[in-house]
């Protein structure tokens, strides 16, 4: 069964600190992996998309990594800011049926 | 601004009623997706259309239906509404099935 699991479920860190969010998936056949940021009550916003051949992609202070062999991805946030408080969602696309499998998200809270 | 327009922003109705949510995708995007998000829950994929045809179906109830018109806008129809249908409904669009999604600001549906 195609699944995407994220950890931790929630995370609280101090402003200025770094953090890493994890995503494990069992989607096959794999097409691409995406990270989205969702502020409360708003639509998700795309951070990165990575295909099978890409193992790192950055977007400002956000860096995503992908290990297609172990089917793991991580999202690293550097020098966190209060505005980084949001849910971060990992989404994996299956190439067989265009289906997007959404993780439950990690809720990140940045404290001053 | 993502370029995806959803109307109305808020909708309050009673159980048993029928409502229609509307979505205009970004200019040039052929794919439209509908998602449901209940309070403090993850996004639940409902249905996807590509250039007027149904491409993928998620956990969409039989009481719900959708379509994409020749001008590419889409409507999600919800009938025989129940209290549990209260949620934020998001529409997203993309240029193709492997492209990133752009989300609208959502329609907040309250069934009383």
């Amino acid at each position: 069964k195609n699944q995407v699991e994220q950890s931790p479920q929630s995370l609280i860190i101090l402003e200025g600190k770094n953090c890493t969010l994890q995503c494990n998936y069992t989607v096959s056949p794999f097409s691409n992996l995406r990270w989205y940021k969702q502020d409360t009550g708003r639509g998700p916003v795309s951070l990165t998309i990575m295909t099978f051949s890409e193992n790192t992609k950055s977007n400002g202070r956000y860096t995503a990594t992908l290990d297609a062999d172990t089917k793991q991805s991580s999202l690293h946030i550097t020098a966190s800011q209060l505005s980084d408080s949001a849910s971060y969602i990992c989404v994996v696309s299956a190439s067989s049926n265009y289906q997007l499998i959404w993780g439950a998200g990690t809720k990140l809270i940045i404290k001053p | 601004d993502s370029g995806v327009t959803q109307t109305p922003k808020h909708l309050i109705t009673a159980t048993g009623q029928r409502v229609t949510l509307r979505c205009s995708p970004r200019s040039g995007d052929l794919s439209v997706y509908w998602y449901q998000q209940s309070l403090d829950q993850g996004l639940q994929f409902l249905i996807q259309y590509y250039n007027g045809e149904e491409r993928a179906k998620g956990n969409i109830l039989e009481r719900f239906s959708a379509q994409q018109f020749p001008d590419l806008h889409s409507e999600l129809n919800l009938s025989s509404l129940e209290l549990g249908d209260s949620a934020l409904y998001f529409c997203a669009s993309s240029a193709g099935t492997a492209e990133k999604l752009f989300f609208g600001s959502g329609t907040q549906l309250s069934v009383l």
Side-chain angles (χ1 to χ4, degrees):
Chain A
K1 181 182 177 183
N2 288 332
Q3 282 187 315
V4 175
E5 295 183 350
Q6 293 187 243
S7 61
Q9 192 171 18
S10 61
L11 183 61
I12 301 173
I13 64 172
L14 292 175
E15 185 180 10
K17 297 296 186 183
N18 303 335
C19 67
T20 300
L21 314 181
Q22 300 291 340
C23 172
N24 296 334
Y25 62 93
T26 58
V27 178
S28 181
F30 174 87
S31 176
N32 59 65
L33 185 144
R34 311 158 185 224
W35 283 94
Y36 284 85
K37 177 187 179 188
Q38 185 180 23
D39 293 317
T40 301
R42 307 193 70 171
V45 174
S46 177
L47 295 176
T48 63
I49 296 181
M50 289 184 291
T51 60
F52 185 88
S53 59
E54 298 173 295
N55 52 27
T56 302
K57 190 164 260 190
S58 292
N59 178 356
R61 294 179 296 101
Y62 301 102
T63 299
T65 64
L66 173 63
D67 185 336
D69 291 332
T70 62
K71 298 188 176 181
Q72 296 180 324
S73 175
S74 65
L75 180 69
H76 186 73
I77 303 174
T78 303
S80 61
Q81 300 175 359
L82 296 178
S83 60
D84 292 332
S85 293
S87 287
Y88 292 84
I89 310 169
C90 175
V91 187
V92 180
S93 175
S95 58
S96 58
N97 57 6
Y98 312 106
Q99 188 179 10
L100 296 175
I101 296 92
W102 290 71
T106 292
K107 186 168 185 177
L108 177 64
I109 298 172
I110 310 297
K111 292 207 164 183
Chain B
D1 182 13
S2 67
V4 178
T5 303
Q6 288 189 247
T7 57
K9 290 191 183 304
H10 302 277
L11 198 49
I12 301 174
T13 188
T15 55
Q17 295 298 304
R18 173 190 170 93
V19 297
T20 297
L21 312 184
R22 183 188 168 99
C23 170
S24 293
R26 288 191 326 151
S27 178
D29 282 358
L30 299 179
S31 270
V32 169
Y33 306 74
W34 285 99
Y35 289 88
Q36 178 192 56
Q37 188 171 37
S38 302
L39 191 62
D40 292 331
Q41 299 296 311
L43 284 159
Q44 296 297 317
F45 169 64
L46 296 178
I47 198 163
Q48 178 201 354
Y49 283 86
Y50 180 81
N51 203 20
E53 297 200 358
E54 183 182 304
R55 175 60 63 89
K57 211 166 188 176
N59 297 324
I60 187 167
L61 299 172
E62 286 190 11
R63 301 184 285 109
F64 296 0
S65 65
Q67 55 183 327
Q68 185 180 28
F69 295 87
D71 67 352
L72 300 179
H73 91 271
S74 179
E75 292 181 356
L76 178 67
N77 299 296
L78 315 175
S79 61
S80 303
L81 285 168
E82 302 175 358
L83 296 177
D85 297 327
S86 295
L88 200 47
Y89 290 84
F90 287 108
C91 168
S93 75
S94 68
T97 53
E99 307 298 322
K100 68 180 176 181
L101 272 61
F102 292 86
F103 281 79
S105 56
T107 293
Q108 178 68 60
L109 174 66
S110 298
V111 182
L112 305 178

